[in-house]
Amino acid sequence: MEGKTRLWDVKINSKWCKRCGLCVAFCPRGVLKLDDEGRPVVVDIAHCTGCLLCEMHCPDFAIAVKRSE
Amino acid sequence: MGSDLTRYLRVEKLPHIWCAGCGHGIVTQAIVRAIDELGLDPVKVTIVSGIGCSSRAPGYMNFDTLHTTHGRAIAFATGVKLARPELKVIVITGDGDAAAIGGNHLIHAARRNIDLTVICYNNTVYGMTSGQYSPVTPLGSFASTAPYGMVERPFDLCELVMGAGGTFVARSTTYHARHLTNVIKQAIQHKGFSFVDAFSQCPTYFGRRNNMRDALAMLNWYKENAVSRDDWAKIPPTQRGSKFPIGVFKDEEAPEYCESYRKVIEKAMKEGDAK
Amino acid sequence: MAESRSRLYQGNEACVEGAIAAGMRFFAGYPITPSTEIAELCSVRLPQVGGTFIQMEDEIASMAAVCGASLAGLKAMTATSGPGFSLKQENIGFAAEAEIPCVIVNVQRVGPSTGMPTSPAQGDLMQARWGRHGDQEIVALSPAYVEEVYSLTVEAFNISEELRTPVILLMDEVVGHLREKVTLPKPGDLVIKDRKKPAPGSRYLPYAPGEGEDGDIPPLGVFGDGFRFHVTGLTHGPEGFPTNSPNVGEPQIKRINSKISSRREKLCKAEELFTEEADVLVVSFGCSARSAKKAVKDLRAMGVKVGLLRLITVWPFPEHLIQRIAARQLKAVVVPEMNLGQLAREVRRCLDGRAPVIGVNRVAGKLIEPADIIRAVQEVR
């Protein structure tokens, strides 16, 4: 998906995150994946639409979805 | 949550104590988001809680916060509200805290229609003490004190509060996080006793004993079984099974207790002067 | 002619008037004989002074509402009798742990259990001190006269505000229902104390001891003033958040105890008659002390060297007073009380064998009469 400007930033606070995996499950665009330690990582930011489903379902307050500057 | 919302949290107290996948953080975030979207003055928000997993939430929330005794949050909050009616008083409670030991205070505060917003983090179990059944644990489900399956018929907290006279009653779930935030906003704005039954998954103690392996399985159960209020009315009672209605069930105006009592003060002071 | 300041008050009425004079503007209660007049009069008087009365659904809720109102900035009170006093214990404990100023009036009646609702007793003395789980000291004052109900209610509020603690006004049905003359203080004569508040804009630690003589009493913010502080019944540190660390928890638990025990002598109020030359000392409190005073005066007239120590502050227990009087070799200490010997127990503890303690006890509502006490003193060899 070249040429697609990056509209959103997704930051994960690994200090607060308890690796429940809900964010990955709720993301409708596969932006997030669990690494081999079960930590959520952003793998495809270009597909993020800023729907906030990951942030709103994070029980640990650990995801911040922001418009890119 | 971005810094626009974490400013409502005591970030130095995080990470919180709730288990991985517990829904209570989702409900807490919905409250914070509701407060932010309503533009409330955080100085004038007081949050009162009882005892249990739910009731640790105020410790993480950057407001005047009062963590009281088991079941008594609503009674403490009544004192706070009456003493300083301009405060927006939000009560955070659990299903056991509100409807078992706290049931008497729940129904009387609803009856009085005092302007409190009660958010019940409903995980149908006593999580803090590791898994006993509560007054809302579904029939037949398992808990540490219902090893042979729950045989008590559970409350429907919304029906209970409506029956007691609460003037705003709604339910949502941690799966429906945006909807949950919206009904919390409406509840906060409502003048009078408002109650939100917020289904919130407890994977550690309830899910594990009732073949829902993890938080996601429980959230999917909410998704499959939640029905809008209008659709619910169309399902014949015999076919409801484990389904439950979500939405705003009641939203009525009635005299609010603090305002009624302010008139008593005006009357008493006028009569006093007349003497 | 200046308007007369003397009133004929019922004891329960004097309690309400004293509380209002002290600045009480919130009452939450539940009907229970023999204290109900306090609630009824609050429902009339409080709105007249811009205050709030609420009849809650039970005594537990009443005590909770009082704590909430106090944290929202009002001087708050509840009143009850034995059964309600038992129900309130957990939330009184919360007020002690969270250091919330408030006043709990217990108009004692015959117990145990439902007992005799309209008959007097003094059987809640130990409960007032030990009714809560865990270690926490408390202040309890016990009036024996209606005028004293007025002044001690003011005193109770002042102590609760100064020490950030619940204070119990331990009355009984006699003093509660009796009508006697009360001379109201001239406006401005009444000393009213208010809680220390944190400086606006300061970083507020609601449980952090400070410097100075009253450094062990942290200031108390008011909900809604912007301090955004946390109050919990969990053992907590100076900033008020839960702790499981013994190093953090122990100083807090010890401080809510020492802040009262260390002020024992300052808090102690008592009335002494002829104690400096007594061979036999009569120790009593509340309604029984009225008969004790009459008995002591009659015995003095008969040439018996007897003295009276009437305790007004019952908790913290005035050990120093008893030990001072007992320093002179006493033949005996006679303790009239309307229970089976709760005060006598404490007196024995303080005397530590230095003198025999003889109880004069009634439990079923019949008053202890001066003649009962005179007989007990005369029987002392």
Side-chain angles (χ1 to χ4, degrees):
Chain A
M1 287 287 287
E2 344 55 30
K4 187 150 183 353
T5 56
R6 173 189 167 100
L7 292 175
W8 298 92
D9 289 327
V10 175
K11 278 208 293 310
I12 294 169
N13 180 330
S14 56
K15 281 209 318 313
W16 294 352
C17 165
K18 298 188 179 187
R19 293 182 279 173
C20 69
L22 287 179
C23 54
V24 173
F26 272 92
C27 176
R29 290 303 202 77
V31 173
L32 298 162
K33 280 284 171 291
L34 296 181
D35 66 16
D36 42 31
E37 286 169 356
R39 254 178 244 290
V41 285
V42 175
V43 294
D44 183 3
I45 192 62
H47 275 95
C48 175
T49 64
C51 73
L52 288 179
L53 280 175
C54 61
E55 176 171 329
M56 295 190 77
H57 287 95
C58 172
D60 304 329
F61 319 130
I63 300 180
V65 178
K66 276 272 164 309
R67 262 194 199 291
S68 310
E69 275 74 50
Chain B
M1 287 163 78
S3 54
D4 55 336
L5 289 184
T6 54
R7 64 193 172 97
Y8 298 105
L9 297 179
R10 291 172 166 140
V11 291
E12 69 287 1
K13 295 294 164 193
L14 296 173
H16 53 57
I17 61 157
W18 295 314
C19 308
C22 163
H24 287 3
I26 300 171
V27 185
T28 304
Q29 179 183 150
I31 295 173
V32 165
R33 195 181 295 278
I35 289 171
D36 180 60
E37 289 177 6
L38 291 172
L40 299 184
D41 173 2
V43 168
K44 296 301 176 193
V45 172
T46 295
I47 303 180
V48 185
S49 68
I51 294 290
C53 296
S54 66
S55 295
R56 283 308 201 90
Y60 306 118
M61 300 168 84
N62 188 19
F63 302 92
D64 285 320
T65 50
L66 174 55
H67 179 212
T68 70
T69 46
H70 193 31
R72 317 305 175 185
I74 288 174
F76 276 83
T78 298
V80 173
K81 182 67 181 180
L82 278 169
R84 215 171 175 181
E86 76 271 22
L87 295 181
K88 175 57 70 179
V89 181
I90 297 171
V91 175
I92 290 178
T93 179
D95 44 299
D97 189 65
I101 186 168
N104 199 25
H105 315 305
L106 176 65
I107 57 174
H108 286 278
R111 171 180 61 82
R112 290 193 193 95
N113 196 37
I114 183 166
D115 187 13
L116 296 175
T117 301
V118 177
I119 315 290
C120 180
Y121 289 33
N122 186 348
N123 58 7
T124 72
V125 79
Y126 283 88
M128 183 65 84
T129 41
S130 62
Q132 299 72 32
Y133 69 85
S134 86
V136 294
T137 302
L139 258 181
S141 53
F142 295 92
S144 66
T145 42
Y148 307 102
M150 173 74 160
V151 292
E152 292 180 27
R153 295 166 63 241
F155 281 137
D156 174 324
L157 293 185
C158 291
E159 296 290 340
L160 179 67
V161 174
M162 284 191 275
T167 49
F168 180 93
V169 178
R171 173 181 298 123
S172 187
T173 88
T174 43
Y175 177 83
H176 309 84
R178 183 65 241 177
H179 175 261
L180 173 61
T181 305
N182 293 344
V183 296
I184 289 174
K185 279 169 73 173
Q186 286 178 265
I188 290 174
Q189 287 176 298
H190 175 76
K191 188 153 63 73
F193 189 82
S194 51
F195 180 81
V196 175
D197 186 8
F199 280 16
S200 169
Q201 76 276 6
C202 172
T204 303
Y205 291 114
F206 190 78
R208 195 157 47 90
R209 286 203 178 86
N210 292 283
N211 48 57
M212 287 182 275
R213 293 191 281 97
D214 55 25
L216 188 56
M218 297 192 75
L219 287 169
N220 279 326
W221 188 86
Y222 289 156
K223 177 182 151 199
E224 254 96 52
N225 288 279
V227 176
S228 78
R229 195 198 51 183
D230 303 337
D231 296 346
W232 171 258
K234 299 185 200 114
I235 308 172
T238 52
Q239 292 162 25
R240 287 174 178 168
S242 57
K243 296 215 177 307
F244 58 89
I246 63 171
V248 177
F249 307 128
K250 191 171 173 188
D251 185 358
E252 281 171 15
E253 290 309 315
E256 191 279 325
Y257 189 79
C258 297
E259 280 183 6
S260 307
Y261 197 81
R262 197 166 37 77
K263 295 191 185 93
V264 166
I265 292 175
E266 281 156 15
K267 191 166 149 196
M269 291 180 102
K270 214 182 288 114
E271 277 166 18
D273 307 339
K275 273 205 198 71
Chain C
M1 206 268 282
E3 199 235 316
S4 156
R5 284 181 295 98
S6 54
R7 298 285 183 281
L8 180 65
Y9 279 157
Q10 184 194 57
N12 284 344
E13 185 177 12
C15 176
V16 173
E17 293 308 324
I20 289 175
M24 184 273 288
R25 289 298 179 271
F26 184 88
F27 178 90
Y30 189 83
I32 182 166
T33 302
S35 74
T36 311
E37 294 85 357
I38 293 176
E40 287 171 337
L41 288 164
C42 280
S43 72
V44 173
R45 290 284 290 120
L46 273 173
Q48 293 173 345
V49 294
T52 299
F53 161 85
I54 183 167
Q55 182 174 298
M56 293 295 281
E57 51 273 19
D58 55 44
E59 286 93 346
I60 300 169
S62 302
M63 191 59 220
V66 159
C67 291
S70 182
L71 287 167
L74 295 185
K75 291 187 181 181
M77 176 169 103
T78 186
T80 189
S81 185
F85 193 49
S86 294
L87 288 174
K88 289 179 194 286
Q89 292 302 322
E90 186 188 3
N91 283 341
I92 294 172
F94 183 87
E97 171 73 4
E99 300 183 76
I100 300 170
C102 56
V103 171
I104 304 100
V105 183
N106 177 13
V107 188
Q108 297 169 93
R109 75 195 206 179
V110 172
S113 187
T114 314
M116 295 178 180
T118 58
S119 297
Q122 297 176 295
D124 307 350
L125 177 64
M126 282 299 180
Q127 183 179 23
R129 172 65 186 85
W130 301 104
R132 277 81 50 204
H133 58 282
D135 284 290
Q136 8 118 339
E137 292 256 353
I138 202 150
V139 178
L141 310 176
S142 192
Y145 303 92
V146 170
E147 181 142 70
E148 209 174 40
V149 171
Y150 185 97
S151 59
L152 285 187
T153 302
V154 174
E155 186 65 19
F157 273 100
N158 285 346
I159 294 170
S160 77
E161 291 284 316
E162 269 189 311
L163 304 188
R164 254 187 84 174
T165 177
V167 172
I168 294 168
L169 191 69
L170 199 60
M171 293 169 63
D172 53 66
E173 187 276 331
V174 169
V175 177
H177 281 163
L178 199 54
R179 276 183 174 72
E180 285 178 331
K181 192 181 98 172
V182 175
T183 306
L184 300 178
K186 281 200 286 298
D189 275 8
L190 213 49
V191 173
I192 304 295
K193 298 278 173 58
D194 291 307
R195 59 194 74 169
K196 267 187 303 190
K197 289 190 175 165
S202 63
R203 181 167 179 276
Y204 175 47
L205 298 177
Y207 295 94
E211 283 70 36
E213 201 227 335
D214 288 338
D216 56 341
I217 318 285
L220 177 58
V222 176
F223 283 170
D225 279 2
F227 292 106
R228 292 159 86 163
F229 63 104
H230 187 59
V231 174
T232 180
L234 284 168
T235 306
H236 43 267
E239 3 75 344
F241 290 101
T243 181
N244 277 318
S245 141
N247 307 340
V248 176
E250 188 160 307
Q252 181 258 324
I253 295 169
K254 285 190 169 172
R255 182 174 57 75
I256 62 169
N257 282 277
S258 60
K259 74 178 180 180
I260 289 166
S261 58
S262 66
R263 292 178 167 82
R264 174 190 313 279
E265 301 199 9
K266 183 168 162 257
L267 288 164
C268 168
K269 290 168 86 71
E271 181 186 6
E272 293 187 42
L273 289 177
F274 322 114
T275 50
E276 287 322 315
E277 355 106 37
D279 294 341
V280 177
L281 177 67
V282 178
V283 180
S284 191
F285 73 110
C287 62
S288 303
R290 300 169 68 101
S291 301
K293 186 181 281 187
K294 174 71 167 97
V296 163
K297 285 181 177 169
D298 290 356
L299 284 163
R300 293 293 304 188
M302 296 184 244
V304 179
K305 290 177 77 183
V306 63
L308 170 70
L309 170 62
R310 176 172 74 92
L311 303 185
I312 298 170
T313 306
V314 285
W315 306 109
F317 195 73
E319 287 148 3
H320 58 293
L321 272 187
I322 292 185
Q323 279 149 4
R324 189 205 84 219
I325 298 167
R328 306 176 43 268
Q329 193 40 41
L330 288 172
K331 278 198 264 175
V333 178
V334 173
V335 181
E337 52 187 322
M338 294 186 70
N339 61 53
L340 288 178
Q342 295 180 30
L343 175 58
R345 222 175 134 83
E346 279 294 294
V347 171
R348 260 185 217 100
R349 181 177 65 80
C350 299
L351 290 173
D352 198 15
R354 277 201 296 278
V357 175
I358 299 145
V360 179
N361 308 93
R362 287 204 190 290
V363 286
K366 189 169 180 300
L367 292 177
I368 296 171
E369 292 169 25
D372 306 320
I373 300 166
I374 289 169
R375 203 177 315 111
V377 172
Q378 285 169 336
E379 279 159 13
V380 169
R381 278 296 146 265

